[in-house]
Amino acid sequence: MSIIKINNLSKSFGNLEVLYNISFELEAGESLVLLGRSGSGKSTLLRCLNGLERVNTGDITVAGHKMDYESSKLRLLRNDVGIVFQQYNLFPHLTVAANIALAPRLVRKVSKSDALTLAKEVLGQVGLLEKIDAYPSQLSGGQQQRVAIARSLAMKPKVMLFDEVTSALDPELTGEVLDVMEKLAKSGMAMVVVTHEMAFAKKVSDRVIFLHNGRITETGNPDEIFSSPKTPEFKTFLGAVG
Amino acid sequence: MRSFGLNEIWYMLQATQWTLYLSILTFVLGGSVGFFIALARCSRSRLLRAISGLYIQIFQSTPLLMQLFLIFFGLSLIGFRLPVLVAGSIALTFWASAFLGEIWRGCIEAVPEQQTEAADSLALTPWQQLRYVILPQASKIALPPTIGFFVQIIKNTSLTSIIGVTELMRASTNMNNATFEPMKVLAVASLIYFATCYPLSLISRKLENKLNVDH
Ligand SMILES: Nc1ncnc2c1ncn2[C@@H]1O[C@H](COP(=O)(O)OP(=O)(O)O)[C@@H](O)[C@H]1O
Ligand SMILES: [Mg+2]
């Protein structure tokens, strides 16, 4: 059963056409890596999947929700779709525990003690239980990003979206975040990952999509696509990222 | 002819109470209205934004003194003669609400948009986002300029002396008329204003610096 289904998605910002005629499906439990040069439309595509951007045309179904921009419908979809951003976007005025507990408390109406249990559980998953009472500003970038992942996981999402979550990190901190994501993928979480980490893409993903100027230029499973790239654009891209 | 002595200074200090009451009342009422003005300015509804924008412009683009005259003399011309204290409070409240509304709009907008996006993505409603994510951060940013504006309120309550509110300025004028010692009277009045406002300005600046360091 597919957890994401996109049909003929097109998106423009004013006159600027950013995504053309995108169609793909992702099966439950699979992880998809989105590759492409800067400006190729990766973030926009990802943000279309949880309704942060509105498409001009096309049908989107994610985790059983057909995309509908009516706000209560959109919230139902977002209940099941987690997203992690490049800049972490933790709430700086709240402790780690409160960051994680906020949405379950407000949206899922989880009790205070259950929310705390939940926070401990997801912090355990990302290996940061000891930071439960810290404020985001007291954490390293890698730790903040792991808390951001934990915050999403606390909503028990059916799909996780990752937008270049290691790009803002010092190289020595990317590993800890990628490890968490790899574990998550292995546990059967459906994920869409925008990344420039080729090793991660090769090792973890089930599917790869290469976007070029807003079009799906090449797609396939990682074994094929990396060993025998077909289009000159993808060859050039692989040459550039190494 | 009275001479300017301790009794006169005492009289001015008594009147300073009214300066402070009026300032606090203006701040509380103006702040309450201004809070909703700020929310309306940041609202998704174009109509609300337009109305609140016009409201702010009207009170920011006309002198407070004129607003005071309109409410006191203007209303009494058409038959509503308000007590001076009430007229003064109303005019100051309108004026302060417009300025605080604009100041706080800026503070709300200073919270990075990514915060809203993160909260949005976690399926919080717009009100929950405002209440639990935006306002706590905005109010921290708002503290220094708000204290700074409170100083403006204290100083501008002096305008109500013109319609007859016996606050510090009016009391000073009374003492001047009684003693004909304008330099001494004004020196004492200035000293009282300064002693009230300067510490607040200092706190505001300290908080401002602290905020800049934290970020
Ligand atoms: N909010 C926006 N308004 C206008 N143009 C945008 C906006 N967001 C992205 N774009 C443009 O859309 C294109 C794709 O951007 P993006 O999806 O961020 O690419 P990527 O994530 O692959 O670097 C770029 O040309 C970018 O300038
Ligand atoms: Mg991007």
Side-chain angles (χ1 to χ4, degrees):
Chain A
M1 200 202 77
S2 57
I3 191 99
I4 297 178
K5 189 168 178 174
I6 294 184
N7 210 353
N8 282 323
L9 181 163
S10 293
K11 162 77 186 166
S12 42
F13 291 109
N15 289 331
L16 181 71
E17 293 196 61
V18 176
L19 295 171
Y20 305 85
N21 221 345
I22 305 277
S23 302
F24 69 84
E25 281 185 45
L26 188 73
E27 298 299 311
E30 281 191 335
S31 48
L32 167 72
V33 162
L34 275 181
L35 300 175
R37 283 201 323 235
S38 167
S40 58
K42 305 179 298 294
S43 297
T44 307
L45 178 54
L46 204 68
R47 291 158 60 87
C48 286
L49 295 179
N50 78 341
L52 277 179
E53 301 289 356
R54 296 181 179 210
V55 301
N56 298 78
T57 58
D59 297 317
I60 301 177
T61 306
V62 183
H65 304 274
K66 194 162 162 26
M67 185 63 73
D68 181 334
Y69 297 115
E70 197 273 313
S71 56
S72 63
K73 300 252 176 59
L74 205 50
R75 282 200 295 279
L76 283 179
L77 179 143
R78 287 171 176 168
N79 249 308
D80 289 332
V81 182
I83 187 166
V84 184
F85 304 93
Q86 183 174 340
Q87 291 297 339
Y88 338 129
N89 302 354
L90 293 176
F91 305 130
H93 60 297
L94 300 178
T95 63
V96 165
N99 262 279
I100 295 170
L102 188 67
R105 295 269 287 138
L106 295 175
V107 179
R108 290 273 161 90
K109 312 290 180 201
V110 168
S111 75
K112 212 170 182 171
S113 65
D114 286 352
L116 186 64
T117 313
L118 190 59
K120 286 179 179 158
E121 178 195 322
V122 291
L123 279 174
Q125 271 177 276
V126 301
L128 279 176
L129 199 49
E130 76 278 11
K131 298 293 184 191
I132 190 160
D133 292 320
Y135 280 89
S137 60
Q138 297 168 321
L139 304 178
S140 73
Q143 291 171 331
Q144 290 190 55
Q145 196 57 292
R146 283 147 71 196
V147 172
I149 295 173
R151 182 174 69 176
S152 278
L153 290 178
M155 289 294 278
K156 306 284 181 200
K158 299 191 174 119
V159 182
M160 286 284 288
L161 312 173
F162 295 88
D163 191 1
E164 298 201 33
V165 296
T166 56
S167 297
L169 300 177
D170 293 334
E172 70 270 20
L173 298 179
T174 59
E176 61 187 68
V177 176
L178 293 172
D179 286 348
V180 166
M181 291 165 64
E182 185 178 344
K183 247 185 13 195
L184 206 55
K186 293 242 166 76
S187 77
M189 175 68 76
M191 323 202 309
V192 180
V193 184
V194 174
T195 186
H196 294 294
E197 301 286 340
M198 286 304 136
F200 179 85
K202 285 173 189 163
K203 189 168 155 208
V204 179
S205 72
D206 300 296
R207 293 261 316 273
V208 176
I209 286 179
F210 172 66
L211 275 184
H212 184 74
N213 291 339
R215 290 187 170 80
I216 296 186
T217 305
E218 200 152 335
T219 177
N221 72 46
D223 298 334
E224 303 162 359
I225 193 170
F226 288 117
S227 55
S228 52
K230 294 186 185 69
T231 57
E233 291 85 1
F234 192 42
K235 282 179 190 156
T236 313
F237 175 81
L238 288 178
V241 293
Chain B
M1 167 85 7
R2 265 162 88 172
S3 68
F4 189 73
L6 280 181
N7 278 336
E8 286 65 31
I9 293 176
W10 180 241
Y11 173 80
M12 287 169 67
L13 282 173
Q14 293 277 311
T16 304
Q17 280 182 66
W18 285 101
T19 292
L20 294 180
Y21 297 152
L22 197 55
S23 301
I24 291 166
L25 189 71
T26 300
F27 181 73
V28 171
L29 295 179
S32 308
V33 179
F35 179 71
F36 289 101
I37 298 291
L39 291 188
R41 279 299 284 154
C42 300
S43 138
R44 289 180 194 179
S45 147
R46 191 178 287 190
L47 184 69
L48 276 181
R49 284 203 307 270
I51 293 172
S52 52
L54 184 67
Y55 179 94
I56 291 173
Q57 280 309 316
I58 287 174
F59 290 101
Q60 285 200 337
S61 312
T62 56
L64 172 57
L65 189 57
M66 201 202 77
Q67 295 159 24
L68 203 57
F69 280 179
L70 271 179
I71 284 175
F72 184 62
F73 297 119
L75 284 184
S76 74
L77 277 181
I78 56 169
F80 297 99
R81 197 175 163 81
L82 298 174
V84 288
L85 206 57
V86 175
S89 308
I90 292 175
L92 283 167
T93 294
F94 275 121
W95 164 79
S97 67
F99 275 84
L100 284 173
E102 184 67 0
I103 291 170
W104 291 342
R105 175 198 63 79
C107 298
I108 291 172
E109 287 179 353
V111 177
E113 201 188 346
Q114 288 91 327
Q115 291 285 308
T116 310
E117 272 184 0
D120 219 8
S121 301
L122 288 165
L124 269 59
T125 65
W127 280 111
Q128 290 170 338
Q129 294 172 26
L130 193 68
R131 163 73 182 80
Y132 296 97
V133 176
I134 307 304
L135 289 182
Q137 297 182 60
S139 52
K140 199 172 159 194
I141 304 171
L143 202 55
T146 302
I147 295 174
F149 186 72
F150 189 65
V151 172
Q152 300 296 320
I153 294 178
I154 294 175
K155 291 189 288 188
N156 275 343
T157 55
S158 62
L159 288 175
T160 63
S161 66
I162 295 170
I163 60 169
V165 177
T166 311
E167 39 61 78
L168 175 55
M169 193 66 214
R170 179 80 175 195
S172 309
T173 313
N174 292 347
M175 284 305 93
N176 185 34
N177 292 342
T179 64
F180 290 104
E181 300 239 46
M183 291 321 287
K184 284 184 190 166
V185 173
L186 286 177
V188 170
S190 305
L191 207 64
I192 297 174
Y193 276 118
F194 184 80
T196 319
C197 295
Y198 181 65
L200 288 171
S201 300
L202 215 58
I203 293 171
S204 166
R205 211 169 327 138
K206 279 257 163 63
L207 288 172
E208 176 90 59
N209 289 339
K210 186 171 175 300
L211 211 58
N212 289 339
V213 171
D214 285 352
H215 276 249

